[in-house]
């Protein structure tokens, strides 16, 4: 992680995302900008919570790990998103592990500063909206996993990890190889079942398989199959 302060950059970001009133002036001297490389952990399950992060660029993966070491991917996050908001409100340790799927940039606000200057109506309303959005998405995701076949859920997963513009070179989200174990964990099925569906997707021209892994070949066909993308907040 790299961390620095730049008031000019901060003010531009707040204006761009309409956060000037939310993150009001008393907070700003204590706010910093953080960047994380692809694959770097932002926070880990069970660690003490101390910072509220505001995701302004890049993509995050949220997952939890059982006592037996099994992982379950919970969701993907795009800007504008908060990390550490529930832990701040509930005063608990970090609930889930957060990993950067791409290079990520976030604003960081220490909890101690929020406790001193956070009694500000626009900020509290913003926190309420972001937290309720998370519960809505979680509920929709659970229903989706129960009501739709694996083919539809896997297509939705592929859309979530593949990005939308196809730009950025080999390591952009649109070119990211698919991890079948991660896919199985998220959509609630077995690795073997996912592998069978991927073979069918290859035959149908939806994805391509190579030594580097599996990549999306036809987003339009995947979108037609998935209907909607349930594993991340719509942009």
């Amino acid at each position: 992680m790299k961390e620095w302060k730049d008031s000019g950059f901060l003010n531009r970001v707040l204006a761009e995302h309409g956060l000037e009133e939310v993150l009001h002036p008393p907070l700003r001297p204590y706010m910093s900008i953080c960047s994380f490389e692809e694959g770097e952990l932002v926070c880990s399950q069970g660690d003490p919570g101390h910072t509220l992060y505001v995701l302004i660029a890049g993509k995050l993966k949220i997952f939890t790990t059982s006592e037996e070491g099994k992982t379950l991917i919970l969701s993907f996050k795009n800007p504008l998103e908060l990390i550490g908001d529930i832990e701040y409100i509930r005063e608990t340790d970090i609930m889930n592990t957060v990993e950067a799927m791409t290079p990520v940039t976030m604003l960081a606000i220490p909890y101690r500063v929020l406790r001193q200057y956070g009694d500000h109506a626009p900020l509290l309303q913003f926190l309420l909206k972001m937290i309720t959005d998370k519960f809505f998405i979680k509920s929709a995701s659970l229903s989706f996993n129960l009501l739709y076949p694996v083919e539809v859920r896997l297509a939705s997963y592929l859309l979530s990890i593949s990005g939308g513009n196809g730009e950025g070179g080999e390591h952009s989200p649109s070119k990211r190889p698919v991890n079948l174990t991660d896919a199985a964990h998220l959509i609630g099925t077995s690795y073997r079942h996912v592998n069978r569906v991927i073979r069918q997707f290859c035959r149908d021209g939806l994805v391509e398989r190579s030594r580097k892994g599996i990549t999306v070949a036809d987003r339009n066909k995947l979108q037609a199959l998935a209907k909607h993308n349930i594993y991340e907040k719509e942009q």
Side-chain angles (χ1 to χ4, degrees), residues 13 17 38 72-73 79 109 126 134 153 185 201 219 231:
V13 166
H17 291 284
E38 179 180 341
L72 174 66
I73 299 177
I109 313 168
F126 180 69
K134 289 181 178 180
R153 284 142 52 194
H185 286 163
F201 282 5
R219 276 190 69 84
Y231 294 118

Side-chain angles (χ1 to χ4, degrees), residues 25-230:
L27 293 172
R28 296 177 197 173
Y30 306 96
M31 294 173 61
S32 57
I33 302 135
C34 299
S35 65
F36 297 83
E37 296 299 323
E38 179 180 341
E40 191 173 358
L41 295 184
V42 175
C43 53
S44 296
Q45 180 179 340
D47 286 353
H50 51 72
T51 303
L52 176 71
Y53 292 104
V54 184
L55 176 64
I56 57 173
K59 190 166 192 171
L60 297 170
K61 177 172 72 174
I62 316 296
F63 62 93
T64 188
T65 305
S66 70
E67 293 182 358
E68 296 77 22
K70 296 181 178 180
T71 61
L72 174 66
I73 299 177
L74 301 175
S75 62
F76 303 94
K77 301 297 182 183
N78 296 293
L80 190 67
E81 188 57 77
L82 296 181
I83 300 298
D85 47 350
I86 295 175
E87 290 86 349
Y88 167 66
I89 296 296
R90 298 185 68 240
E91 298 184 348
T92 60
D93 292 339
I94 300 299
M95 296 170 56
N96 304 303
T97 300
V98 181
E99 178 185 333
M101 287 191 68
T102 68
V104 160
T105 304
M106 296 197 282
L107 306 181
I109 313 168
Y111 285 174
R112 58 178 176 80
V113 175
L114 286 171
R115 293 188 181 103
Q116 185 174 0
Y117 299 109
D119 189 13
H120 175 61
L123 173 58
L124 296 175
Q125 290 170 353
F126 180 69
L127 287 171
L128 177 62
K129 179 185 181 302
M130 299 300 284
I131 290 172
T132 53
D133 279 352
K134 289 181 178 180
F135 285 113
F136 176 82
I137 292 169
K138 181 63 176 176
S139 176
S141 177
L142 289 173
S143 299
F144 188 67
N145 275 354
L146 289 172
L147 297 175
Y148 287 86
V150 169
E151 291 80 3
V152 175
R153 284 142 52 194
L154 182 57
S156 183
Y157 170 84
L158 293 171
L159 291 171
S160 290
I161 68 165
S162 68
N165 54 26
E167 297 175 355
E170 182 180 356
H171 298 294
S172 69
S174 60
K175 300 296 183 181
R176 181 180 300 278
V178 176
N179 184 310
L180 296 189
T181 301
D182 282 355
H185 286 163
L186 178 63
I187 68 178
T189 190
S190 68
Y191 175 91
R192 288 183 178 180
H193 196 167
V194 168
N195 200 31
R196 286 195 296 269
V197 175
I198 286 291
R199 288 199 296 268
Q200 183 60 52
F201 282 5
C202 288
R203 290 192 289 268
D204 294 341
L206 278 66
V207 301
E208 295 176 350
R209 201 166 199 165
S210 67
R211 291 182 178 179
K212 293 183 178 180
I214 299 160
T215 54
V216 172
D218 193 325
R219 276 190 69 84
N220 291 332
K221 287 184 178 180
L222 281 175
Q223 287 171 336
L225 178 59
K227 309 294 184 186
H228 59 284
N229 192 341
I230 201 69

